[in-house]
Amino acid sequence: MKKEPKNFLSVRELGEQGLLKRLQRFCPPEWVGDDAAAIAMTPEPNRSLVVTTDMLVDGVHFSDRTTSAEDVGWRAAAANLSDLAAMGAAPLAITVSLGLQGDTPVSWVEGVYTGMVSCLDRYQTAIAGGDVCKAPVNVISITAIGWVPTDRTIRRQNGKPGDAIVVTGVHGASRAGLELLLHPEIGKGWSEEETQELITAHQRPNPRLDVLPILWEVMGEGGEIAGMDSSDGLADAIVQIARASGVGATLDRPLIPLPPSLSQRVGEERALEWALYGGEDFELVLCLAPEVARQFVERLGNRAAIVGTLTKSTRVCLTDSTGAYADEVITQSLSFQHF
């Protein structure tokens, strides 16, 4: 977190109640001010409440080198909304808990909230409250609440041999954007447009709530869906789905959608590594019956692709339909791990 000149107002100087009063303006007034938020809901049968929590820590998930306060807020909100999308759920609200160092500028905290609201407004989602406390390092913890029709809940365990593996968007863009922020010399000779597109992919990812209505139209009334988001990398998502479903998977190397011209810029091997293991693309990885998968991809055009198949074996591997490369076992060992 960037330290501003000493003429800034710190959270220590403003105090807990003063900070809470400032942050309440980012929330609907009817939801804050009590011990908990009371959100009116229309009771309907066959609905499941979906709850997810994600934590971002200064120096681990964000830094001044790569993210402004507004970008931190956006990414924090997007990460949680992506988890809801991965379950097939529509968002209702989020709560935000902050652990803050006393010398943190109030302007930085307000910037975080501005970024969160900018992201949430796209999905008609509000901040329902939260908490603040003193901490040795700045921490943002968000709990997101959503709902999903029970028979449309996306679960990792629902995969079946023969299912097509579908991914939305492109993979490797967020990692490429991070590398450009950390090592600007990599982008020498790149156009400003492609550089900014990759940086934006890292700083302002979009949770794929937008594709769910199309998925439900294609699915019709029945059928189970296996899936999750690719926040920890495409390889991690496929391994986790296969493991939870008790199946294997083959992923066809040439079919993995990469950002335009990335292979030419950084080389095919590095581009593929960033796509498989870079993480933070926040796309959806879905396992669908082949005909449903084809219809879904057709509806989304270049915003989705079939990249492989679930198999009866428990082996997860990267294949190459062109024959240029030998099969390669995919593991989680190269994906991001906290410990």
Side-chain angles (χ1 to χ4, degrees):
M1 179 209 61
K2 185 177 181 179
K3 303 296 186 196
E4 298 184 4
K6 193 53 191 108
N7 59 356
F8 71 82
L9 178 66
S10 71
V11 297
R12 180 186 294 112
E13 292 166 328
L14 183 60
E16 179 182 355
Q17 293 304 312
L19 181 61
L20 287 172
K21 185 175 181 179
R22 285 206 181 194
L23 297 182
Q24 283 180 357
R25 65 187 174 89
F26 293 96
C27 313
E30 68 273 16
W31 284 4
V32 296
D34 293 303
D35 291 298
I39 304 172
M41 295 182 63
T42 303
E44 284 191 31
N46 304 317
R47 282 193 177 193
S48 295
L49 194 67
V50 181
V51 181
T52 181
T53 298
D54 203 24
M55 183 182 300
L56 279 75
V57 180
D58 193 357
V60 178
H61 299 95
F62 60 88
S63 73
D64 290 337
R65 293 182 63 190
T66 59
T67 39
S68 67
E70 289 80 1
D71 292 334
V72 171
W74 180 292
R75 284 170 54 82
N80 283 269
L81 294 184
S82 182
D83 283 339
L84 292 182
M87 298 292 292
L92 290 172
I94 71 168
T95 62
V96 184
S97 294
L98 300 178
L100 298 172
Q101 296 172 295
D103 60 352
T104 300
V106 172
S107 60
W108 184 86
V109 181
E110 291 181 321
V112 169
Y113 270 69
T114 298
M116 283 192 288
V117 170
S118 296
C119 179
L120 295 170
D121 280 351
R122 290 191 170 196
Y123 307 99
Q124 296 77 54
T125 305
I127 301 173
D131 191 23
V132 297
C133 70
K134 181 180 178 181
V137 63
N138 287 348
V139 177
I140 305 167
S141 180
I142 293 181
T143 296
I145 306 163
W147 68 272
V148 63
T150 304
D151 61 353
R152 286 185 169 175
T153 306
I154 299 173
R155 296 186 181 277
R156 300 176 189 180
Q157 65 188 28
N158 288 343
K160 298 175 291 295
D163 281 354
I165 302 171
V166 177
V167 299
T168 61
V170 298
H171 280 77
S174 179
R175 176 60 183 274
L178 176 61
E179 292 293 333
L180 286 167
L181 287 165
L182 294 175
H183 309 288
E185 67 276 7
I186 293 176
K188 186 178 180 180
W190 297 26
S191 72
E192 183 178 347
E193 182 180 359
E194 63 184 331
T195 298
Q196 190 55 53
E197 186 174 327
L198 294 172
I199 289 175
T200 300
H202 178 72
Q203 294 178 331
R204 300 256 171 155
N206 290 304
R208 299 314 304 267
L209 292 159
D210 60 307
V211 306
L212 294 180
I214 297 172
L215 178 62
W216 304 141
E217 286 182 27
V218 173
M219 285 291 298
E221 292 298 321
E224 294 182 334
I225 303 175
M228 62 180 290
D229 77 355
S230 59
S231 55
D232 289 327
L234 178 57
D236 174 85
I238 292 175
V239 169
Q240 292 211 49
I241 292 170
R243 182 182 299 161
S245 299
V247 298
T250 59
L251 183 63
D252 195 348
R253 180 187 186 114
L255 299 182
I256 298 172
L258 303 172
S261 75
L262 185 62
S263 293
Q264 297 174 0
R265 295 298 191 186
V266 302
E268 186 176 342
E269 288 304 310
R270 179 177 287 184
L272 181 65
E273 178 186 339
W274 289 353
L276 289 174
Y277 303 109
E280 296 191 318
D281 287 304
F282 295 106
E283 296 291 342
L284 293 184
V285 181
L286 304 168
C287 300
L288 308 169
E291 182 56 33
V292 173
R294 282 191 290 271
Q295 293 180 39
F296 181 62
V297 169
E298 185 176 321
R299 287 286 302 275
L300 288 175
N302 62 0
R303 295 184 294 152
I306 297 174
V307 297
T309 308
L310 296 186
T311 64
K312 292 182 179 179
S313 158
T314 56
R315 187 170 179 258
V316 179
C317 64
L318 183 67
T319 64
D320 187 345
S321 56
T322 69
Y325 294 87
D327 288 1
E328 175 185 333
V329 174
I330 295 176
T331 71
Q332 291 175 293
S333 60
L334 295 179
S335 300
F336 176 78
Q337 304 288 328
H338 281 284
F339 303 105

